[in-house]
Amino acid sequence: MNKQQLFAELEKLGLRPGRGLGQNFLLDQNLLDSIVRSADVRSGETILEVGPGFGVLTRGLLAAGAEVYAIEYDHRLAAYLRREFAGAPLHLLEADACRVELSTFLPPGPFRMVSNLPYAISSVLIARLLELPERPRGMLFLLQKEMGQRLAAAPGGSAYGALTVRTQLFYHVRLLRTVPPEVFYPPPEVDSALVGFELREESCEPEIARRLPGVVKTVFAQRRKQLGKVLGNNYGKERALAALAVLGIPPETRPERLSVEQFRQLTGELFK
């Protein structure tokens, strides 16, 4: 879909792209083709797409043989998709993706996600995906570049935070390419990035997975403070210092200095 075709469809639907809904429609066919190639879709594979919009990415996923399960919030776009893809293996749900119970929408078995995610919901949606009993075995997202950098960040920098640790506990995260604003309509005010997520082969203990989000949220909410003080105030001084001592972590360490593995170990020690 080129810009002229997009404008025509927007006019038919009486739709003005909403910033609040993160409606930035992708127009670059070369980029779309690249995303589908990077996704490496297998015939018959279940792919979840959030925010399909006018279905430009959906079309490529279907052509590659995917069984696409899509969630679209805007009722006008949902109606368009039903007409446009009638008879195709597209399963469409008109809903807020952040509130959908995916286990009842998706078929049993493994799935992956490929989406041009609306900026407004990306952090909330990714956090929800991390809480699933059966997480996507891989994800490929177009995200705000700053969000992509945050998710892929290494320890020590300002981008490294609670969501970084939670995500990297389960996924290898890579920034694959930067995407300029001009490939969207309306163009966002910032660069985007194509970000890949590969599920780690090593599993995380269920108790650690349950407890770790609370630990990292607590320490990163006060990231300028020393770990010994923050953990002591929230989990008891003796308990916190003992856990840090076992791992050889000085109490004056700041949270952004700990690796994902150290956070995993620390959570285990705190809740022995």
Side-chain angles (χ1 to χ4, degrees):
M1 180 179 284
N2 59 35
K3 187 177 286 190
Q4 186 177 359
Q5 292 169 326
L6 174 63
F7 285 175
E9 294 298 341
L10 288 171
E11 186 174 352
K12 284 181 191 176
L13 297 178
L15 194 157
R16 298 184 66 183
R19 180 172 294 183
L21 298 179
Q23 291 177 322
N24 302 97
F25 300 109
L26 189 56
L27 294 171
D28 190 295
Q29 188 59 49
N30 290 329
L31 177 58
L32 285 163
D33 292 342
S34 175
I35 293 172
V36 174
R37 285 196 303 272
S38 297
D40 192 23
V41 176
R42 306 301 184 191
S43 180
E45 180 180 13
T46 298
I47 297 289
L48 175 62
E49 183 185 8
V50 169
F54 281 101
V56 291
L57 178 55
T58 313
R59 192 177 302 281
L61 295 171
L62 290 169
E67 188 90 6
V68 178
Y69 287 74
I71 305 173
E72 175 54 56
Y73 182 78
D74 192 304
H75 67 94
R76 295 160 296 184
L77 291 172
Y80 169 89
L81 291 166
R82 291 190 189 99
R83 293 192 302 270
E84 188 71 11
F85 293 98
L90 171 64
H91 309 268
L92 180 65
L93 180 64
E94 184 182 321
D96 179 349
C98 293
R99 298 178 181 274
V100 170
E101 184 57 60
L102 291 177
S103 62
T104 62
F105 176 51
L106 296 172
F111 72 99
R112 290 191 297 144
M113 281 192 70
V114 183
S115 299
N116 173 22
L117 277 188
Y119 289 169
I121 69 166
S122 58
S123 59
V124 174
L125 181 63
I126 290 170
R128 281 206 66 207
L129 292 168
L130 298 175
E131 296 170 356
L132 292 175
E134 296 295 330
R135 298 168 190 88
R137 60 186 181 86
M139 303 186 288
L140 187 63
F141 292 150
L142 265 178
L143 298 167
Q144 184 175 342
K145 184 179 179 181
E146 183 180 355
M147 172 59 73
Q149 290 172 327
R150 178 181 167 197
L151 295 170
S158 60
Y160 187 78
L163 188 57
T164 315
V165 176
R166 293 179 62 191
T167 304
Q168 292 185 23
L169 183 67
F170 300 108
Y171 290 93
H172 299 284
V173 186
R174 291 188 302 143
L175 265 69
L176 302 178
R177 64 184 292 180
T178 297
V179 178
E182 307 85 71
V183 303
F184 299 95
Y185 179 82
E189 296 177 355
V190 295
D191 283 342
S192 301
L194 185 62
V195 185
F197 303 74
E198 180 184 353
L199 192 64
R200 292 182 181 274
E201 291 184 4
E202 62 274 20
S203 60
C204 176
E205 304 93 320
E207 185 66 8
I208 299 292
R210 187 174 73 85
R211 298 279 195 177
L212 182 137
V215 173
V216 294
K217 284 180 182 177
T218 296
V219 298
F220 279 105
Q222 304 176 71
R223 65 185 301 149
R224 294 183 179 276
K225 292 189 177 180
Q226 299 175 359
L227 276 173
K229 292 182 179 178
V230 178
L231 293 173
N233 289 339
N234 287 274
Y235 300 104
K237 183 176 181 181
E238 184 177 338
R239 181 181 176 189
L241 292 179
L244 291 170
V246 167
L247 301 176
I249 300 171
E252 63 271 18
T253 304
R254 300 295 196 273
E256 67 269 17
R257 296 293 171 184
L258 264 61
S259 68
V260 175
E261 176 59 21
Q262 285 176 307
F263 271 114
R264 188 191 68 76
Q265 294 173 349
L266 178 59
T267 302
E269 289 296 329
L270 283 172
F271 293 99
K272 269 188 171 178

